[in-house]
Amino acid sequence: MIKAILIFNNHGKPRLIRFYQYFAEDMQQQIIRETFHLVSKRDDNVCNFLEGGSLIGGSDYKLIYRHYATLYFVFCVDSSESELGILDLIQVFVETLDKCFENVCELDLIFHMDKVHYILQEVVMGGMVLETNMNEIVAQVELQNRMEKSEGGLSGAPARAVSAVKNMNLPEMPRNINIGDINIKVPSLSPF
Amino acid sequence: MECIESHRLGNVCATAASDIAMSPSIPLQEMIRAIRSARTQCEERGVIQRECAAIRAQFRQTDSGARSHNLAKLLYVHMLGYPAHFGQMECVRMIASPRYSEKRVGYLGAMMLLDEKQDASLLITNSIKNDLAHSNQYVQSLALCTLACMGSAEMCRDLAPEIERLLRASNSYIKKKAALCAVHIVRKVHELGELFAPAARSLLVEKNHGVLHGAVVLITELCERNHETLERFRKIVPDLVQIMKGLVISGYSPEHDVAGISDPFLQVRILRLLRILGRNNEVASDAMNDLLAQVATNTDSTKTVGNAVLYETVLTVLDIKSECGLRVLAVNILGRFLLNNDRNIRYIAMTSLQKIVCTDHNAVQRHRGTIVDCLKDQDASVKRRALELSLALVSATNIRTMMKELLLFLSSCPPELKSHAASGIFNAAERYAPSQRWHIDTILHVLTTAGGDVRDETVPNLIQLITNTSELHCYTVHKLYRALLTDISQPSLVQVACWCIGEYGDLLMKGECQETEAVQVSEDDALDALETVLQSHMSSPATRGFALTATMKLSTRITDNVDRIRSIVSIYGSCLDVELQQRAVEYNALFKKYDHMRAAVLERMPVIEKNSLGDTNGESMGETMKEIQTATVKKAEPLLQQQPANQVCDLLDLLGGSEEPLQPSPAPGLSINTASTAGGDLLDLLGGFEPTPLAPAPTVTVYDKDGVALTLNCEKQSDSGLTVTLIASNSTDSDISAFTLQAAVPKSVQLHMKAPSGDSLPARGAAKVTQLVVLNNPNKVSLKMRIRVSYTRQGSAFQDTVQVDSFPGL
């Protein structure tokens, strides 16, 4: 069983946290700090498995992690999961994110945290591996997003208006405005 | 991708949005931007507090268009670690909303913020129930996901029939989710396993890999929980074998392919289920043999996924009743893994070797060389695995070589592994030590390299080991003395060294030793070493106690510098540490008033038996040793309140209980001043004053030397009670004074000595001394008694011991 999935950056700031076992909020933050502490000490060419944390689950759990550029993807699993399998699963998850976000980077994870959660929900459910076929996952996520967008109607109008305004390129506009030929004569007034 | 921090644009949008949607707070992205632009923690807290206040206000309004945005913002804030519990009821409301976007965020919020302990979680049960029956499969899947994540036992019980229905009659997307949801339900409520077993069975014919995967996981969970289910599911082994064959042999299938292997995740799951089904069952194991051989040979092991499948195959082969050819193949694959360049693979190989080291010990021994090499790997995880495995591989034949490697490892190992390594080494040394000297050397080596990380029992255990090897006392004390000179920072080492110098100081100063080169150690040198320990700031109070006692012991073993010892001891009489002060004061008393007892009190310790104090915990044994030493001094002070006779007898009990004979204390040189008062004190301790008449039972002479004779007779008083009468007489030409008897009996026997009739034996048998001893032997052990006779004759003191093994009349 997967006990927790944590994504944090090189400085330990959490980008996504998902616990499949109940922990109080402060406990969750402590686990994140401890995991970051353990993982950041590791060299780049050592193995991807870590034992020795004490906060989650006692002795029967390992950390399986992968380091991509500025992000650590850490899966805390117990002994019922195949370690190499989980390592592959991280790869599948990241590739899926890449497909969904088009060349995903850390900022995508920051600003679209909820979407990342929805994608993760298609891969891991209740601490168990659900689907590993990347195309299937992406297809399902697409369908769900479409469904959400299609819930149009009046209440969707504000969101659409906002995105329309955002997409406007204001600095460009003055160049395009054709005022026409207007001759304005400014009268010379005596200075104050 | 570059992030354009265009706050100006952001503000425009904010006002536009607020005009249109009538919500004063900003959408999720804007809030994230605002938080990120905060330069200090304080600023960030301020932004978040403002946002949370706005969100809270929004939640209180019944209708607001941006509800899903607010909850999403709250979840972001929650991830950063700020409190978000006020969003729980909003989650419940959102879940009940008809709109998909709101349901989605609501369920996500429920999974992050609610758990079964919260009351709010009960409120969503009904919504989940309705959504499970929704026409839209994505709504159904949201409900399934939430139930699988945080469903409590009651919720599971309520909704289990729904899940079972979904397992049978829905599309594959829902089926695979329902299967995993069923796993969660079974984990929460074990009895419901029966409900899902038939549906699980029927899912195995599906073509969709996701559904198959879910079905295999469900069946695995059912089999692990319930043994009867396991028996029933053995029938499906042929079906599983078929599925596997399809995966392994079939051609390239692009949708399931990962690096050339067809759906490795499913293969791994099936192999695991096969392992559970084939364990301890011949028939099932036979059915899988061919398949396992095929997978083991055909899987491409150049990529990680291939190795994952191979690894699972190996574990399965080793766990079921497979034929030996297959087992050899499996262990060879593990051996190949061990030599792989990829550290992950080596780590995995060692983990699996650990699992089989007990059953296939010889097979694993063949790879010992590689494993020992992994001890030197840079990676801490690999080192940890290698250490575990090396400790498991130590045996009587390879102990010397393995210990060399382990000691080398200990000197350079990471700190978190040090104490585990040290205790592993101690255990191995204890079980397989080829010689005593090697054992002591090994322990000394560990103490010098990792002394700070050893467990507390090490010190008493080591002391016991040293006392037991009497022929190596000289060698040991020399080595320890040299170690003490080089480094006094390791507490365990210093404690053992002090103890040894105190005990065997005379051997140290004799200067010659066969086993190691002799170093001339003078009395001053030894005292210097002990004083350094006493005064060093690195010594703990316990260590100082050891050093002080050792210094005191040396007072009987050396001849010249007794004054120096006296001064050291008296200095510590005003020490701030209470324990040290007490010891120093008592030792001072030993110098002044009880000088005659000093030799007896400080003589060599007898061999310590592990269970002699009825205590298997070595820790307390060491303590009790010290306590008894100090206790003996306490007893001598008459100012103390009534010391029961038992304590004195316990002391003798200890001395008498061991197999080694008491060493006769050096009688000459002792001056018994105020002998009568001292004798009188002892006599006071020995009980009341009523003399009892002689019993007319058969007597036997137990001691007759130098004209002093002692007779004994005994009389049974009750089933376990016994009265022994000792009569002493003097047939020499000179008077004997200060005549005392002390007795010791085996542990379970209780002893009570009555007061003797007197303490002087006039010459030529003019009068006798009688003493009564009452014994209670409830355990009916064989009765033995050791009697110590001490007296003064013609100005010199004599002492002797006699053991009585058979009692007349018994």
Side-chain angles (χ1 to χ4, degrees):
Chain A
M1 184 182 145
I2 301 174
K3 306 236 169 158
I5 296 180
L6 309 171
I7 306 179
F8 42 76
N9 72 357
N10 289 347
H11 303 292
K13 281 209 87 87
R15 296 301 175 212
L16 182 119
I17 59 172
R18 192 63 198 261
F19 285 89
Y20 293 102
Q21 202 178 345
Y22 173 69
F23 291 102
E25 261 87 27
D26 48 341
M27 194 62 175
Q28 290 186 358
Q29 293 296 318
Q30 210 179 330
I31 290 172
I32 295 172
R33 275 195 296 271
E34 187 196 60
T35 310
F36 170 67
H37 186 66
L38 285 171
V39 157
S40 56
K41 279 197 297 199
R42 307 272 289 168
D43 244 347
D44 269 337
N45 53 354
V46 300
C47 75
N48 299 88
F49 308 115
L50 248 186
E51 294 167 72
S54 55
L55 288 178
I56 306 186
S59 56
D60 183 25
Y61 94 110
K62 307 194 163 89
L63 297 172
I64 302 179
Y65 73 96
R66 275 204 128 122
H67 191 188
Y68 295 92
T70 58
L71 288 174
Y72 284 99
F73 284 71
V74 183
F75 279 44
C76 307
V77 304
D78 66 9
S79 54
S80 69
E81 296 289 333
S82 157
E83 291 99 341
L84 292 175
I86 294 290
L87 210 52
D88 279 322
L89 188 69
I90 300 181
Q91 183 70 20
V92 166
F93 179 47
V94 173
E95 280 177 20
T96 312
L97 286 177
D98 201 35
K99 266 231 169 99
C100 290
F101 283 105
E102 263 122 67
N103 289 328
V104 67
C105 67
E106 186 179 345
L107 287 167
D108 289 316
L109 297 189
I110 298 172
F111 284 97
H112 300 282
M113 180 199 94
D114 48 344
K115 299 223 174 1
V116 179
H117 269 288
Y118 299 143
I119 298 173
L120 184 58
Q121 260 167 230
E122 293 300 317
V123 182
V124 176
M125 187 174 111
M128 294 166 276
V129 177
L130 174 64
E131 178 65 60
T132 53
N133 183 335
M134 196 166 58
N135 297 326
E136 172 75 16
I137 300 170
V138 173
Q140 295 296 343
V141 169
E142 276 300 299
L143 285 171
Q144 289 179 38
N145 287 341
R146 214 176 295 161
M147 222 186 89
E148 188 170 340
K149 282 206 193 82
S150 75
E151 264 184 349
L154 210 54
S155 41
R160 288 201 294 273
V162 168
S163 44
V165 171
K166 264 205 243 186
N167 289 335
M168 270 196 297
N169 206 342
L170 285 175
E172 292 282 321
M173 282 164 68
R175 269 175 247 150
N176 293 335
I177 295 178
N178 205 340
I179 308 179
D181 231 340
I182 300 178
N183 227 335
I184 300 182
K185 248 206 147 62
V186 179
S188 53
L189 299 166
S190 51
F192 280 95
Chain B
M1 179 185 125
E2 304 217 50
C3 181
I4 303 168
E5 301 276 80
S6 47
H7 281 288
R8 182 178 58 90
L9 197 58
N11 285 336
V12 168
C13 292
T15 37
S18 61
D19 285 358
I20 296 168
M22 290 171 294
S23 64
S25 74
I26 48 181
L28 175 63
Q29 270 82 15
E30 311 311 325
M31 184 191 79
I32 297 178
R33 242 176 240 140
I35 293 176
R36 276 165 62 75
S37 66
R39 266 157 305 191
T40 64
Q41 186 77 359
C42 189
E43 224 177 297
E44 178 182 300
R45 264 202 296 271
V47 173
I48 289 179
Q49 265 170 1
R50 275 197 301 279
E51 271 311 305
C52 285
I55 293 171
R56 252 189 295 236
Q58 293 257 284
F59 283 168
R60 274 185 240 120
Q61 294 175 10
T62 45
D63 172 46
S64 104
R67 279 165 75 184
S68 50
H69 295 295
N70 286 329
L71 196 51
K73 278 189 276 182
L74 190 61
L75 291 177
Y76 183 84
V77 161
H78 171 78
M79 178 180 79
L80 292 179
Y82 295 90
H85 46 273
F86 53 87
Q88 287 172 5
M89 284 315 291
E90 185 68 9
C91 293
V92 176
R93 272 194 292 265
M94 300 276 273
I95 289 174
S97 147
R99 305 190 56 222
Y100 178 71
S101 53
E102 291 182 357
K103 266 201 211 284
R104 215 181 188 191
V105 174
Y107 274 118
L108 182 61
M111 284 188 270
M112 303 278 280
L113 299 176
L114 291 176
D115 75 289
E116 55 189 48
K117 295 192 187 62
Q118 249 78 297
D119 299 326
S121 63
L122 290 172
L123 299 172
I124 64 176
T125 313
N126 211 27
S127 300
I128 294 183
K129 193 178 202 147
N130 292 336
D131 284 336
L132 280 176
H134 205 273
S135 51
N136 186 326
Q137 65 173 0
Y138 296 113
V139 176
Q140 282 179 309
S141 85
L142 283 175
L144 283 169
C145 190
T146 309
L147 185 59
C149 282
M150 43 80 67
S152 66
E154 293 87 47
M155 286 163 77
C156 292
R157 257 188 268 263
D158 275 339
L159 300 168
E162 294 293 315
I163 308 296
E164 207 268 340
R165 196 175 52 77
L166 286 173
L167 270 179
R168 287 183 186 283
S170 47
N171 60 36
S172 20
Y173 178 70
I174 294 299
K175 270 197 231 191
K176 76 180 179 197
K177 295 209 172 186
L180 288 188
C181 196
V183 175
H184 175 85
I185 293 179
V186 170
R187 279 193 190 145
K188 281 282 177 197
V189 185
H190 304 326
E191 303 83 54
L192 289 172
E194 278 307 306
L195 178 64
F196 294 114
R201 175 82 182 78
S202 61
L203 283 177
L204 278 180
V205 301
E206 295 274 333
K207 292 282 169 252
N208 181 307
H209 280 209
V211 180
L212 267 179
H213 186 275
V216 172
V217 175
L218 179 56
I219 297 175
T220 312
E221 184 69 28
L222 292 173
C223 292
E224 274 176 345
R225 296 258 159 213
N226 188 326
H227 197 72
E228 284 98 53
T229 324
L230 175 67
E231 299 286 330
R232 285 209 317 262
F233 271 107
R234 285 232 172 87
K235 292 189 290 250
I236 66 167
V237 170
D239 299 315
L240 291 172
V241 170
Q242 261 321 98
I243 300 173
M244 272 299 282
K245 278 212 172 97
L247 289 172
V248 175
I249 303 175
S250 73
Y252 175 69
S253 127
E255 50 179 55
H256 298 121
D257 183 88
V258 181
I261 311 248
S262 180
D263 207 342
F265 298 96
L266 184 57
Q267 290 193 27
V268 164
R269 282 276 168 215
I270 294 181
L271 283 167
R272 199 171 272 240
L273 180 55
L274 284 174
R275 187 180 340 153
I276 294 173
L277 293 174
R279 212 178 266 156
N280 291 331
N281 187 297
E282 293 279 346
V283 174
S285 308
D286 280 336
M288 323 174 186
N289 267 323
D290 284 338
L291 170 73
L292 292 172
Q294 200 165 29
V295 176
T297 38
N298 284 357
T299 310
D300 177 18
S301 60
T302 48
K303 297 279 175 61
T304 317
V305 277
N307 283 323
V309 175
L310 264 181
Y311 169 57
E312 206 65 34
T313 316
V314 164
L315 285 181
T316 306
V317 165
L318 293 171
D319 212 9
I320 63 173
K321 291 193 177 308
S322 50
E323 49 186 29
C324 17
L326 202 49
R327 284 189 98 86
V328 170
L329 177 62
V331 179
N332 285 347
I333 294 180
L334 281 183
R336 252 186 16 234
F337 276 0
L338 265 184
L339 300 166
N340 196 312
N341 282 332
D342 187 349
R343 280 209 175 86
N344 289 336
I345 308 290
R346 265 186 282 162
Y347 176 91
I348 297 295
M350 282 197 279
T351 316
S352 39
L353 282 173
Q354 184 84 36
K355 292 190 187 141
I356 59 166
V357 76
C358 303
T359 46
D360 294 74
H361 193 88
N362 294 333
V364 183
Q365 281 281 4
R366 244 175 278 142
H367 301 285
R368 192 164 45 98
T370 328
I371 294 170
V372 168
D373 280 335
C374 287
L375 278 174
K376 306 190 188 91
D377 197 301
Q378 291 169 345
D379 182 355
S381 299
V382 171
K383 272 197 184 142
R384 185 188 283 259
R385 289 274 129 239
L387 173 65
E388 297 271 4
L389 211 43
S390 307
L391 288 175
L393 286 178
V394 171
S395 73
T397 39
N398 59 27
I399 178 75
R400 279 191 200 265
T401 36
M402 286 298 276
M403 196 50 80
K404 255 198 285 262
E405 296 289 341
L406 285 169
L407 288 175
L408 200 59
F409 171 73
L410 191 63
S411 45
S412 63
C413 87
E416 60 267 12
L417 291 178
K418 263 209 165 124
S419 88
H420 185 68
S423 37
I425 290 177
F426 281 150
N427 283 340
E430 203 170 307
R431 291 219 317 259
Y432 302 114
S435 74
Q436 300 270 28
R437 178 177 157 167
W438 181 93
H439 195 172
I440 291 184
D441 277 341
T442 310
I443 299 189
L444 288 181
H445 193 132
V446 173
L447 283 180
T448 36
T449 37
D453 296 295
V454 297
R455 284 206 303 261
D456 294 327
E457 299 99 68
T458 321
V459 171
N461 283 345
L462 180 56
I463 289 179
Q464 190 224 330
L465 182 65
I466 292 176
T467 34
N468 281 343
T469 44
S470 40
E471 60 276 11
L472 288 175
H473 284 165
C474 188
Y475 166 75
T476 315
V477 72
H478 269 98
K479 271 205 96 147
L480 281 170
Y481 174 73
R482 244 172 299 196
L484 192 63
L485 286 183
T486 35
D487 176 19
I488 58 168
S489 62
Q490 307 273 31
S492 333
L493 184 64
V494 171
Q495 285 175 1
V496 177
C498 287
W499 192 92
C500 282
I501 295 178
E503 269 296 299
Y504 309 120
D506 45 337
L507 295 175
L508 180 66
M509 287 174 274
K510 240 181 3 200
E512 26 163 283
C513 180
Q514 313 98 304
E515 312 256 350
T516 174
E517 351 104 37
V519 174
Q520 267 309 101
V521 180
S522 72
E523 298 176 358
D524 273 318
D525 292 334
L527 285 174
D528 280 339
L530 287 175
E531 247 192 308
T532 323
V533 173
L534 266 175
Q535 290 164 356
S536 159
H537 63 279
M538 286 190 279
S539 308
S540 69
T543 313
R544 283 218 181 90
F546 268 92
L548 191 61
T549 311
T551 315
M552 192 59 200
K553 280 196 218 172
L554 279 182
S555 71
T556 49
R557 295 178 188 21
I558 63 177
T559 43
D560 296 331
N561 285 1
V562 185
D563 286 327
R564 181 173 172 188
I565 295 181
R566 246 191 267 258
S567 60
I568 295 177
V569 165
S570 58
I571 288 174
Y572 278 88
S574 45
C575 170
L576 282 177
D577 182 80
V578 179
E579 168 72 23
L580 278 180
Q581 188 188 93
Q582 179 173 15
R583 284 187 195 215
V585 165
E586 288 169 1
Y587 293 156
N588 249 331
L590 205 54
F591 266 122
K592 299 205 174 91
K593 267 176 102 175
Y594 299 100
D595 207 28
H596 54 282
M597 292 181 66
R598 191 158 51 96
V601 170
L602 297 175
E603 68 182 17
R604 277 263 207 282
M605 293 287 266
V607 171
I608 305 169
E609 283 164 24
K610 258 209 146 109
N611 292 327
S612 64
L613 299 176
D615 213 348
T616 45
N617 184 358
E619 200 170 354
S620 65
M621 184 171 69
E623 312 274 336
T624 332
M625 285 288 119
K626 287 182 283 191
E627 276 165 29
I628 287 197
Q629 272 206 308
T630 42
T632 57
V633 187
K634 269 192 217 158
K635 282 180 247 315
E637 292 178 25
L639 302 166
L640 288 173
Q641 60 280 45
Q642 294 268 3
Q643 290 291 340
N646 290 333
Q647 284 201 337
V648 179
C649 301
D650 276 349
L651 166 66
L652 295 175
D653 212 6
L654 177 68
L655 297 174
S658 72
E659 295 315 303
E660 298 241 319
L662 280 174
Q663 295 172 358
S665 48
L670 264 184
S671 57
I672 302 193
N673 46 6
T674 64
S676 49
T677 49
D681 286 341
L682 266 178
L683 289 177
D684 274 340
L685 293 176
L686 291 177
F689 273 103
E690 331 79 49
T692 23
L694 281 166
T699 56
V700 61
T701 309
V702 294
Y703 176 81
D704 194 353
K705 212 158 100 168
D706 298 328
V708 177
L710 187 66
T711 62
L712 177 151
N713 66 36
C714 46
E715 194 181 64
K716 264 180 107 59
Q717 302 292 345
S718 66
D719 194 34
S720 60
L722 186 67
T723 311
V724 173
T725 314
L726 299 163
I727 307 175
S729 61
N730 174 11
S731 57
T732 62
D733 285 344
S734 44
D735 290 340
I736 284 179
S737 57
F739 182 90
T740 49
L741 288 171
Q742 291 165 312
V745 286
K747 272 208 76 55
S748 56
V749 183
Q750 290 143 20
L751 173 104
H752 180 65
M753 287 185 91
K754 306 263 188 191
S757 57
D759 70 333
S760 61
L761 287 168
R764 284 178 288 274
K768 294 191 198 297
V769 166
T770 313
Q771 187 162 14
L772 233 68
V773 180
V774 179
L775 296 172
N776 190 16
N777 184 6
N779 293 351
K780 304 278 173 45
V781 301
S782 69
L783 202 52
K784 299 193 211 315
M785 191 190 289
R786 201 175 278 188
I787 306 177
R788 182 189 274 171
V789 179
S790 38
Y791 56 89
T792 309
R793 192 168 67 121
Q794 290 174 330
S796 44
F798 293 94
Q799 206 179 63
D800 208 349
T801 319
V802 61
Q803 175 140 339
V804 181
D805 290 315
S806 62
F807 286 75
L810 269 184

